[in-house]
Amino acid sequence: MTKKIMIVFGTRPEAIKMAPVIKALEATPELEPITVVTGQHREMLQQVLDIFDLKPAYDLAIMQEKQTLTTITNKVLKGLDPILERVRPDMVLVHGDTTTTMAAAMAAFYHQIPVGHVEAGLRTWTKYSPYPEEMNRQLTDNLTDLYFAPSQQAAANLTREGHPRERIKITGNTVIDALHYTITEDYHHELLKRLTPTHRTILLTMHRRENQGKKMEGVFQAIRHVVESRGDIDLVYPVHLSPAVQKAAHRVFDGVDNVYLIDPLNVVDFHNLAARSYFIMTDSGGIQEEAPSLNRPVLVLRETTERPEGVKAGTLKLVGTDPATVEHEMNSLLENPLEYSAMAQAKNPYGDGHAAEKIVKSIQSFLAQV
Ligand code: UD1
Ligand code: UDP
C-alpha cells in the first residue's frame, strides 16, 4: 500500500534543502509525497518553489511583516491541525531549525504521527546562539522518530543526547544534492557585466535575529570602510527581505561606490554567483555548507557555528561581529594568497550529493517496521 509522506517547510533554506527529497519521494512509487508550505516566507519561498517546480498541496500563507516567534508558532500549529487530521500521513518530514520546523514537529507529535528530521543533530549548545534556532532544533530532535544527520559529528551530538542509535542515519547534507540542480558551467547574469573586471567580488549575506541592530550595523560599517579604503573590490549583497535587515543595509551602503545592494537572488543565480565570487561573508547556515563544494572561503559573521565540519576542513573562519576583527580578516584574506588558497581548496565535508536517496531508503525501512 502507498504510504503518505507529508513534507512541511516554510522558509527559503528549508525549501532548497527539501527539494531534492521531494524529487526522490516522487520517484518512489510506494511513497506519496504531500507538500505543505506554512508560508513563513513569501517571495523568498516562492523563488525556490518556481526553480524546482514544486507544487504544494497546502499553503498556510502565515507570513506577516515583522512577525514574532509566537505568532509564527501559533499560526503553524493552528494551520496544520486540520490538515493532519484530514490527511493522516504515515510520516511528517521537517527540516533544520526554523520556527516552522519546531511547530510542525510539535503538531505531528500531537497527532501521534512519526516525525522524520532532515539535518538533525546540529548543535552549538548555546541557548541563544543562534536564536531561536538552537532551541528549535533541540526541541525538534526531542519530538523526532527518525533522524537524518548530515555528518558524523551531528550523529554523535544526537547519541550524546541519548537518542536511539538505530534511528540515526548519516546521509550527508541535501544541499549538496541541490547544487547538482543549480550549478552550470555556462552561466550568465546581467550583474556580472556591471561589475568591474579588475576587481575581486565579495558576496555578502546577513540576516540572523541575534545580529540585528548594533552588531549588524557595526559589521556593515566595517565592510564599507574596507570597500572604500581599498578601491579594488566589488561587494554584492542580496538583501534579505526582513525589514530590520533592509533598513540597516540601505542606511549604511546606499550611495557607496562598488557596492551592489540587490533583491534576494533565486537559488540558481545565488549558487552560480557564489561560485564566481572571490570569497563570501555571511551569517547564514546553508551558505556555510555550500561554500566548500564551491571552493569559496567564508568569513562567518557569528560567534558560534553549528557547522564545525567546515571550520575543520578549513573553508570557514569564525570571525564574529567585532568591526575591527571583520576589517582585519577581510584585508588578510585579500592580501594573503596562501591563506586564501588553503581555505579555497578544502574538501566538502557534507557528503556525495546522494543524501535524498539515502533519506528515502531509510523512510521505507522505518515504515516497513512500524
Ligand atoms: C527565518 C528563520 C531562520 C532562517 C531564515 C532563512 C525562524 C525564527 N527564523 O528567519 O532560522 O535562517 O528564515 O532566511 O524561523 N520577509 C518577507 N518576505 C519573505 C521572507 C521574509 O517580506 O519572503 C520579511 C517579513 O517581514 C518577515 C521577516 O522578513 O516578517 C522575517 O521573516 P522570518 O521568517 O520571521 O525571519 P527570518 O529572519 O527570515
Ligand atoms: N540563497 C538564495 N538567494 C540569496 C541568498 C541565499 O537562494 O539571495 C540561498 C543560499 O544558497 C542557501 C540558502 O539560501 O542555500 C540560505 O538561506 P538563508 O541564508 O536565508 O538561511 P539559513 O541557511 O541561514 O537558514
Side-chain angles (χ1 to χ4, degrees):
M1 208 177 74
T2 310
K3 304 272 191 185
K4 291 189 271 191
I5 311 297
M6 184 173 284
I7 308 100
V8 185
F9 55 89
T11 67
R12 168 173 69 190
E14 293 164 79
I16 294 168
K17 291 165 164 183
M18 279 306 221
V21 179
I22 296 170
K23 299 283 178 202
L25 288 167
E26 281 170 354
T28 310
E30 311 83 64
L31 299 176
E32 181 196 352
I34 300 162
T35 300
V36 178
V37 294
T38 63
Q40 180 178 332
H41 283 177
R42 189 184 299 142
E43 302 87 341
M44 288 162 53
L45 178 65
Q46 193 58 46
Q47 284 182 315
V48 188
L49 300 178
D50 291 344
I51 291 282
F52 289 100
D53 195 24
L54 302 177
K55 309 242 183 299
Y58 301 90
D59 182 355
L60 306 183
I62 66 163
M63 199 197 87
Q64 62 190 57
E65 205 183 302
K66 297 187 186 170
Q67 57 205 0
T68 67
L69 301 175
T70 305
T71 56
I72 300 169
T73 308
N74 281 342
K75 285 179 171 185
V76 171
L77 279 173
K78 202 165 171 216
L80 283 180
D81 205 46
I83 298 173
L84 290 168
E85 187 64 46
R86 194 171 333 126
V87 179
R88 295 289 325 162
D90 295 283
M91 175 174 266
V92 168
L93 275 189
V94 295
H95 181 280
D97 53 20
T98 71
T99 296
T100 283
T101 311
M102 183 272 294
M106 190 177 281
F109 165 69
Y110 285 162
H111 287 264
Q112 298 187 26
I113 295 167
V115 175
H117 187 195
V118 180
E119 203 178 278
L122 274 62
R123 297 287 184 269
T124 61
W125 313 106
T126 308
K127 190 172 177 182
Y128 290 105
S129 178
Y131 165 77
E133 290 80 5
E134 176 65 12
M135 292 317 292
N136 279 346
R137 54 197 174 219
Q138 290 197 25
L139 293 166
T140 302
D141 281 333
N142 276 313
L143 298 167
T144 292
D145 299 276
L146 191 56
Y147 301 84
F148 305 111
S151 67
Q152 292 275 2
Q153 176 67 57
N157 292 341
L158 291 164
T159 44
R160 174 180 157 184
E161 285 176 354
H163 300 298
R165 272 172 206 277
E166 66 279 12
R167 295 286 178 86
I168 302 168
K169 314 291 168 191
I170 300 173
T171 59
N173 197 304
T174 56
V175 83
I176 310 298
D177 305 28
L179 286 169
H180 292 313
Y181 290 88
T182 56
I183 291 286
T184 49
E185 287 293 316
D186 57 339
Y187 173 78
H188 298 287
H189 191 280
E190 171 269 333
L191 179 69
L192 291 171
K193 285 188 254 157
R194 286 168 53 207
L195 302 175
T196 310
T198 52
H199 286 185
R200 287 171 288 181
T201 302
I202 298 174
L203 184 60
L204 168 69
T205 82
M206 199 166 185
H207 69 84
R208 303 230 82 83
R209 275 172 198 258
E210 72 273 14
N211 279 339
Q212 288 172 12
K214 275 208 173 71
K215 285 186 182 177
M216 192 172 276
E217 290 242 10
V219 169
F220 289 170
Q221 294 290 2
I223 296 173
R224 175 182 167 159
H225 188 243
V226 173
V227 173
E228 287 185 321
S229 57
R230 296 186 63 95
D232 64 352
I233 49 176
D234 284 337
L235 180 84
V236 175
Y237 180 7
V239 189
H240 191 290
L241 294 179
S242 166
V245 181
Q246 287 277 334
K247 214 166 135 196
H250 285 282
R251 191 161 46 225
V252 177
F253 290 120
D254 272 355
V256 178
D257 279 349
N258 300 326
V259 171
Y260 299 80
L261 286 196
I262 54 175
D263 287 337
L265 291 161
N266 74 50
V267 63
V268 167
D269 288 333
F270 188 83
H271 284 171
N272 283 285
L273 286 171
R276 284 156 184 80
S277 67
Y278 191 63
F279 66 79
I280 301 170
M281 301 179 70
T282 193
D283 66 357
S284 159
I287 295 169
Q288 294 179 56
E289 295 153 346
E290 294 161 355
S293 286
L294 302 174
N295 298 114
R296 289 295 166 267
V298 181
L299 300 182
V300 181
L301 302 166
R302 291 175 45 182
E303 316 299 338
T304 57
T305 183
E306 58 293 272
R307 272 94 175 169
E309 303 86 358
V311 178
K312 213 163 145 201
T315 315
L316 311 181
K317 195 165 194 183
L318 259 190
V319 166
T321 53
D322 170 59
T325 311
V326 170
E327 274 199 45
H328 171 77
E329 294 295 346
M330 287 178 78
N331 284 319
S332 172
L333 198 49
L334 285 160
E335 278 157 26
N336 293 310
L338 284 181
E339 179 188 343
Y340 181 86
S341 54
M343 287 180 82
Q345 283 160 20
K347 193 175 168 293
N348 149 44
Y350 291 113
D352 56 7
H354 294 280
E357 291 158 38
K358 291 175 196 146
I359 289 168
V360 169
K361 282 210 180 87
S362 299
I363 293 173
Q364 284 180 298
S365 40
F366 175 84
L367 291 178
Q369 288 163 27
V370 289

